[in-house]
Amino acid sequence: METFLIRALQLILSLSLLVIVHEGGHFFFARLFKIRVEKFYIFFDPWFSLFKYKPKNSDTEYGVGWLPLGGYCKISGMIDESMDTEQMKQPAQPWEFRSKPAWQRLLVMIGGVLMNFLLALFIYSMILYTWGDSYIALKDMTYGMKFNETAKQIGFRDGDILKAADGEPLERFNVDMLRSLVEAREVTVLRNGQEEKILMPEVSLLDIAKEDPPFVDILYPNVVDSVWADGGFAKAGIMAGDTLLAVNGAAVNSWNDFVNELGTLQAKAELEKQPNATFSLVYARGGIRDTVQVQTNSSFKVGAEMHLDYKPTVLTYGFFSSFPAGVTLGVNTLKGYVNDMKYVFTKEGAKSVGGFGTIGSIFPKVWDWPRFWSMTAFLSIILAFMNILPIPALDGGHVLFLLYEIIARRKPSDKFLEYAQMVGMFLLFALLIWANFNDVLRFLF
């Protein structure tokens, strides 16, 4: 329950900030061009609001709605999600959106997207300025990588050190690295001190991202690093420095293999409704083999850990140098997200679309400010990109119609815009329902 509340609080705080900034972008340009803003709300307020306030001599009512699905900035003389068509039947007033030149209306509509993208760049910059950047370079992972059967069929081998994809150096272990591998025609690895070229077939990032064990992982040697007192290993006499060789007769060539075998034992024990598992372990110490029986605890742990003493690459940034680095990070994040959008239009991609539960799950289980701000910046980029898509009811839909007006020098009719808004809202609500329905299915099954 505590984990749920921490994640929920992070999600609400993050989305509230993004909504304020997004709607603030519309508000800023609207007021810049002297367009009246009737309402500025965080969350939606059908039938009633949690809080509202209208300053004296102001045309704008500020408030907080009860339905946490976003927010809105109601601009006079515009067909938007409020569907206030009665106002559009009245003669146009100088302070209304529809009375302004097309270029001004265009800036009002892209204001939210612009502010979200700028916010993401600023957050990334401040993360780098405050905490810097620390990672273990792939070239320094001297034990190499662990690959699953799919990767081995392509040509990878356990212990390969990843060097380059289509000649571009691979620097760190993350989703960008995985994306580079998938999109490459040729991957260069260092194997036994010699460079090897691996030809990549057509593979889907979405497919390999779901594989378990993973397509590629950090290789941990099959040598025990540390043992906890009173754990299963300690009770069986296993000590730090022992080499693991087999679990229940299955060969173990890495700590990764050992963890996978534990996972198999756990799945079997849970199916049989057993509180833990006991297994046969073959190990070696000083060249001498022995076999012991090891019992897991109720969490199916054996009381041991594996750490690698790789030296991290640490990058620090001054205040001014953090901005170009933050811009680069933000732009690369946007490129990766846009590139991955093609998977949404596949059968598996449609199933993977998630709602608020999925979004909330990306936040850490404990409060972690660097992680919180990183996720907020990422969500800000997603919000900016999704809103600029040329779909009616989104900012991109309004932008599309404004561009048509500028090019054709004629406005779409109010009736057309009204119908387009209704169709767009129907599509958005359908997508929202589908995404959260997927979350429910994942929770249940």
Side-chain angles (χ1 to χ4, degrees), residues 378-398:
F378 180 59
L379 290 177
S380 194
I381 283 179
I382 293 177
L383 183 60
F385 175 74
M386 295 301 293
N387 261 285
I388 204 61
L389 293 176
I391 300 173
L394 292 178
D395 295 343
H398 292 285

Side-chain angles (χ1 to χ4, degrees), residues 25 89 159 175 178 238 242 247 304 343 381 397:
K89 295 177 182 178
V175 68
L178 192 59
I238 303 298
D242 289 350
V247 172
Y343 297 112
I381 283 179

Side-chain angles (χ1 to χ4, degrees), residues 19-20 22-23 40-44 67-73 81:
V19 168
I20 290 173
H22 181 88
E23 300 303 334
F40 186 97
Y41 264 68
I42 303 173
F43 306 148
F44 293 111
L67 190 60
L69 298 179
Y72 70 98
C73 181
E81 58 268 20

Side-chain angles (χ1 to χ4, degrees), residues 146-423:
K146 174 70 176 178
F147 298 92
N148 68 7
E149 287 305 313
T150 302
K152 288 177 180 177
Q153 289 174 8
I154 293 173
F156 293 100
R157 297 291 178 268
D158 289 344
D160 285 351
I161 299 174
L162 297 171
K163 291 198 65 177
D166 285 340
E168 292 293 324
L170 296 170
E171 294 184 355
R172 61 180 78 188
F173 181 75
N174 56 18
V175 68
D176 291 330
M177 177 212 71
L178 192 59
R179 187 182 295 113
S180 296
L181 292 181
V182 168
E183 296 178 351
R185 294 184 178 181
E186 182 182 81
V187 175
T188 305
V189 301
L190 191 64
R191 181 181 300 166
N192 299 324
Q194 301 292 324
E195 283 194 0
E196 298 282 346
K197 305 290 184 180
I198 299 173
L199 297 179
M200 293 293 294
E202 290 287 337
V203 290
S204 167
L205 177 62
L206 190 63
D207 289 340
I208 68 172
K210 292 182 177 181
E211 292 186 353
D212 185 25
F215 183 85
V216 56
D217 202 354
I218 299 173
L219 177 64
Y220 292 84
N222 55 337
V223 179
V224 180
D225 182 71
S226 59
V227 176
W228 303 343
D230 299 325
F233 265 15
K235 291 178 181 178
I238 303 298
M239 301 171 60
D242 289 350
T243 301
L244 308 182
L245 300 177
V247 172
N248 286 346
V252 171
N253 297 313
S254 66
W255 187 263
N256 309 65
D257 291 339
F258 175 70
V259 171
N260 290 337
E261 291 299 327
L262 280 185
T264 302
L265 291 172
Q266 180 178 358
K268 181 180 178 181
E270 289 177 346
L271 186 65
E272 297 174 351
K273 301 187 183 308
Q274 298 295 322
N276 50 32
T278 300
F279 60 92
S280 172
L281 175 70
V282 179
Y283 73 98
R285 181 187 301 162
I288 301 175
R289 292 189 175 201
D290 196 4
T291 302
V292 294
Q293 296 297 310
V294 180
Q295 186 177 56
T296 70
N297 62 16
S298 58
S299 300
F300 294 89
K301 305 295 183 183
V302 294
E305 288 184 336
M306 172 55 64
H307 299 284
L308 295 175
D309 56 354
Y310 292 142
K311 183 179 179 180
T313 297
V314 179
L315 303 177
T316 57
Y317 298 88
F319 181 75
F320 293 105
S321 63
S322 68
F323 287 99
V327 169
T328 299
L329 178 56
V331 170
N332 288 339
T333 301
L334 176 61
K335 287 180 179 178
Y337 181 75
V338 172
N339 181 75
D340 294 343
M341 277 297 292
K342 61 178 177 285
Y343 297 112
V344 174
F345 302 101
T346 65
K347 182 179 179 180
E348 288 300 315
K351 292 180 181 179
S352 69
V353 172
F356 292 106
T358 298
I359 297 173
S361 68
I362 70 175
F363 288 95
K365 297 179 181 180
V366 296
W367 200 282
D368 181 335
W369 280 114
R371 180 72 173 168
F372 168 80
W373 286 117
S374 179
M375 290 300 96
T376 299
F378 180 59
L379 290 177
S380 194
I381 283 179
I382 293 177
L383 183 60
F385 175 74
M386 295 301 293
N387 261 285
I388 204 61
L389 293 176
I391 300 173
L394 292 178
D395 295 343
H398 292 285
V399 169
L400 177 66
F401 298 139
L402 282 167
L403 291 176
Y404 165 80
E405 179 184 339
I406 292 173
I407 296 171
R409 298 191 176 183
R410 54 177 295 189
K411 287 185 179 181
S413 68
D414 288 344
K415 186 59 67 174
F416 171 82
L417 294 176
E418 180 183 338
Y419 287 145
Q421 185 74 18
M422 292 171 62
V423 170

